[in-house]
Amino acid sequence: SNLFCSKWASSLESEFDAFKVRQNLEDHKIMANEDLNLFRRLLHLAESDHYAFFQGYEFIKLHDNGKILFEMLSHESMVYSLERLENLLNILQKFRVYKESQNIRSILR
């Protein structure tokens, strides 16, 4: 579970009208697809633009659903044998681990 899922579930709990529940589900599905497409576009731009790569990192880091979006795109790159995308995702994952280890070190000091 993550913050995106928690928000999504709480918005469904408050509704009792079937039409509104269905509309809410569709809205969240569209938002998730838009976020995945945005992340996908940033990574395609990152093939030639380092700033887009950094934007992709920031997007995943700050997004409520970032880890799941990352995993979905990772799986997609393996299934469809998208070698360039897979390489970018591996670099991004290494950078995330590096930044997290830096944050832990700064907390422990």
Side-chain angles (χ1 to χ4, degrees):
S1 178
N2 58 27
L3 191 56
F4 178 82
C5 294
S6 298
K7 287 179 184 177
W8 180 74
S10 67
S11 70
L12 287 178
E13 288 175 349
S14 63
E15 291 295 334
F16 298 104
D17 182 19
F19 177 76
K20 288 184 180 180
V21 169
R22 183 181 172 100
Q23 185 64 42
N24 202 345
L25 282 171
E26 291 298 320
D27 291 345
H28 279 84
K29 190 167 54 171
I30 288 170
M31 284 182 353
N33 281 332
E34 287 175 349
D35 292 339
L36 184 62
N37 288 336
L38 174 62
F39 184 47
R40 190 179 290 132
R41 277 193 301 270
L42 284 171
L43 287 181
H44 285 296
L45 285 172
E47 292 176 3
S48 61
D49 181 9
H50 293 183
Y51 184 66
F53 185 78
F54 181 72
Q55 284 178 318
Y57 165 74
E58 286 292 312
F59 178 76
I60 288 301
K61 183 177 94 173
L62 299 174
H63 196 280
D64 296 340
N65 204 21
K67 288 183 180 181
I68 293 175
L69 293 173
F70 183 86
E71 290 300 319
M72 287 175 67
L73 209 51
S74 240
H75 180 70
E76 181 181 303
S77 72
M78 286 185 261
V79 168
Y80 296 113
S81 299
L82 303 172
E83 193 174 322
R84 283 182 170 170
L85 182 59
E86 197 170 341
N87 289 338
L88 283 170
L89 289 168
N90 287 335
I91 294 168
L92 187 59
Q93 178 62 23
K94 288 177 184 177
F95 188 65
R96 286 174 57 196
V97 169
Y98 171 74
K99 292 300 270 182
E100 287 173 8
S101 69
Q102 277 188 330
N103 290 340
I104 292 171
R105 285 186 198 140
S106 66
I107 290 171
L108 294 176
R109 288 183 185 170

